[in-house]
């Protein structure tokens, strides 16, 4: 089972259907992690396959905001660890 199939299966089991079900079928995302130094990593998220139809445009905005929030949360988490040590909650 491919990763795409796993995600599609997860969405198909939801009680509140993912609102961009058709547009989502044509998209994919690549996350690239590149070491910059011993303490830094460059994270790049590239999403492709968005159409120009209304559902795709709204979905793209949804994922742009969601990805930005996720990256900010990860950044804050790792900054906290750097400031307080690996054993910090």
């Amino acid at each position: 089972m491919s990763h795409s199939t796993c995600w599609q299966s997860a969405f198909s089991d939801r009680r509140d259907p993912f609102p961009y079900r058709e547009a989502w079928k044509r998209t994919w995302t690549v996350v690239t992690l590149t070491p910059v130094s011993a303490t830094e990593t460059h994270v790049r998220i590239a999403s492709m396959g968005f159409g120009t139809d209304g559902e795709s445009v709204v979905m793209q905005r949804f994922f742009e905001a969601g990805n930005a929030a996720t990256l900010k949360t990860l950044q804050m988490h790792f900054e906290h660890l750097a400031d307080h040590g690996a054993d910090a909650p």
Side-chain angles (χ1 to χ4, degrees):
M1 181 182 292
S2 72
H3 293 290
S4 295
T5 305
C6 292
W7 279 96
Q8 287 172 350
S9 295
F11 281 125
S12 66
D13 294 339
R14 291 173 54 136
R15 290 186 184 163
D16 56 331
F18 184 66
Y20 314 111
R21 198 176 284 269
E22 289 307 310
W24 181 77
K25 291 177 181 179
R26 299 181 301 270
T27 63
W28 68 98
T29 299
V30 178
V31 178
T32 306
L33 306 172
T34 307
V36 175
S37 70
T39 59
E40 297 176 309
T41 302
H42 178 263
V43 181
R44 178 177 184 262
I45 299 176
S47 297
M48 294 148 280
F50 292 102
T52 57
D53 59 284
E55 183 179 333
S56 293
V57 170
V58 173
M59 182 182 70
Q60 184 173 6
R61 289 186 200 129
F62 170 83
F63 277 112
E64 285 172 352
N67 289 345
T70 299
L71 287 173
K72 185 64 177 171
T73 300
L74 283 170
Q75 179 184 13
M76 290 169 48
H77 171 76
F78 286 108
E79 286 174 350
H80 178 78
L81 289 181
D83 292 343
H84 302 288
D87 294 329

